PDB file of all heavy atoms in Angstrom:
ATOM      1  N   ASP A1164     -20.235  -7.878   2.046  1.00 99.00           N
ATOM      2  CA  ASP A1164     -20.215  -8.521   0.691  1.00 99.00           C
ATOM      3  C   ASP A1164     -21.267  -9.626   0.750  1.00 99.00           C
ATOM      4  O   ASP A1164     -21.659 -10.140   1.830  1.00 99.00           O
ATOM      5  CB  ASP A1164     -18.814  -9.165   0.454  1.00 99.00           C
ATOM      6  CG  ASP A1164     -18.528  -9.369  -0.980  1.00 99.00           C
ATOM      7  OD1 ASP A1164     -19.141 -10.236  -1.593  1.00 99.00           O
ATOM      8  OD2 ASP A1164     -17.646  -8.695  -1.519  1.00 99.00           O
ATOM      9  N   ILE A1165     -21.736 -10.018  -0.439  1.00 98.00           N
ATOM     10  CA  ILE A1165     -22.651 -11.136  -0.450  1.00 98.00           C
ATOM     11  C   ILE A1165     -21.905 -12.463  -0.127  1.00 98.00           C
ATOM     12  O   ILE A1165     -22.506 -13.418   0.312  1.00 98.00           O
ATOM     13  CB  ILE A1165     -23.337 -11.214  -1.933  1.00 98.00           C
ATOM     14  CG1 ILE A1165     -24.611 -12.096  -1.876  1.00 98.00           C
ATOM     15  CG2 ILE A1165     -22.309 -11.722  -2.972  1.00 98.00           C
ATOM     16  CD1 ILE A1165     -25.431 -11.998  -3.125  1.00 98.00           C
ATOM     17  N   ALA A1166     -20.632 -12.443  -0.443  1.00 98.00           N
ATOM     18  CA  ALA A1166     -19.822 -13.589  -0.143  1.00 98.00           C
ATOM     19  C   ALA A1166     -19.107 -13.387   1.266  1.00 98.00           C
ATOM     20  O   ALA A1166     -18.158 -12.736   1.350  1.00 98.00           O
ATOM     21  CB  ALA A1166     -18.755 -13.786  -1.178  1.00 98.00           C
ATOM     22  N   LEU A1167     -19.732 -13.986   2.237  1.00 98.00           N
ATOM     23  CA  LEU A1167     -19.308 -13.762   3.605  1.00 98.00           C
ATOM     24  C   LEU A1167     -17.812 -14.165   3.854  1.00 98.00           C
ATOM     25  O   LEU A1167     -17.073 -13.449   4.583  1.00 98.00           O
ATOM     26  CB  LEU A1167     -20.241 -14.376   4.707  1.00 98.00           C
ATOM     27  CG  LEU A1167     -19.898 -14.158   6.157  1.00 98.00           C
ATOM     28  CD1 LEU A1167     -19.964 -12.696   6.479  1.00 98.00           C
ATOM     29  CD2 LEU A1167     -20.884 -14.874   7.056  1.00 98.00           C
ATOM     30  N   ALA A1168     -17.453 -15.299   3.288  1.00 98.00           N
ATOM     31  CA  ALA A1168     -16.058 -15.863   3.505  1.00 98.00           C
ATOM     32  C   ALA A1168     -15.090 -14.813   2.899  1.00 98.00           C
ATOM     33  O   ALA A1168     -14.056 -14.612   3.636  1.00 98.00           O
ATOM     34  CB  ALA A1168     -15.956 -17.204   2.811  1.00 98.00           C
ATOM     35  N   SER A1169     -15.385 -14.203   1.907  1.00 98.00           N
ATOM     36  CA  SER A1169     -14.437 -13.229   1.302  1.00 98.00           C
ATOM     37  C   SER A1169     -14.420 -12.003   2.129  1.00 98.00           C
ATOM     38  O   SER A1169     -13.275 -11.458   2.439  1.00 98.00           O
ATOM     39  CB  SER A1169     -14.869 -12.769  -0.133  1.00 98.00           C
ATOM     40  OG  SER A1169     -15.186 -13.910  -0.938  1.00 98.00           O
ATOM     41  N   ALA A1170     -15.564 -11.526   2.583  1.00 98.00           N
ATOM     42  CA  ALA A1170     -15.572 -10.336   3.490  1.00 98.00           C
ATOM     43  C   ALA A1170     -14.820 -10.658   4.759  1.00 98.00           C
ATOM     44  O   ALA A1170     -14.142  -9.826   5.323  1.00 98.00           O
ATOM     45  CB  ALA A1170     -17.063  -9.904   3.804  1.00 98.00           C
ATOM     46  N   THR A1171     -15.017 -11.834   5.353  1.00 98.00           N
ATOM     47  CA  THR A1171     -14.295 -12.246   6.502  1.00 98.00           C
ATOM     48  C   THR A1171     -12.810 -12.311   6.331  1.00 98.00           C
ATOM     49  O   THR A1171     -12.091 -11.779   7.212  1.00 98.00           O
ATOM     50  CB  THR A1171     -14.846 -13.629   7.028  1.00 98.00           C
ATOM     51  OG1 THR A1171     -16.226 -13.541   7.179  1.00 98.00           O
ATOM     52  CG2 THR A1171     -14.163 -14.088   8.309  1.00 98.00           C
ATOM     53  N   SER A1172     -12.433 -12.687   5.157  1.00 98.00           N
ATOM     54  CA  SER A1172     -10.963 -12.743   4.890  1.00 98.00           C
ATOM     55  C   SER A1172     -10.395 -11.306   4.913  1.00 98.00           C
ATOM     56  O   SER A1172      -9.294 -11.068   5.427  1.00 98.00           O
ATOM     57  CB  SER A1172     -10.802 -13.497   3.573  1.00 98.00           C
ATOM     58  OG  SER A1172      -9.504 -13.273   3.072  1.00 98.00           O
TER      59      SER A1172
END
Side-chain angles (χ1 to χ4, degrees):
D1164 206 290
I1165 197 166
L1167 182 59
S1169 309
T1171 302
S1172 163

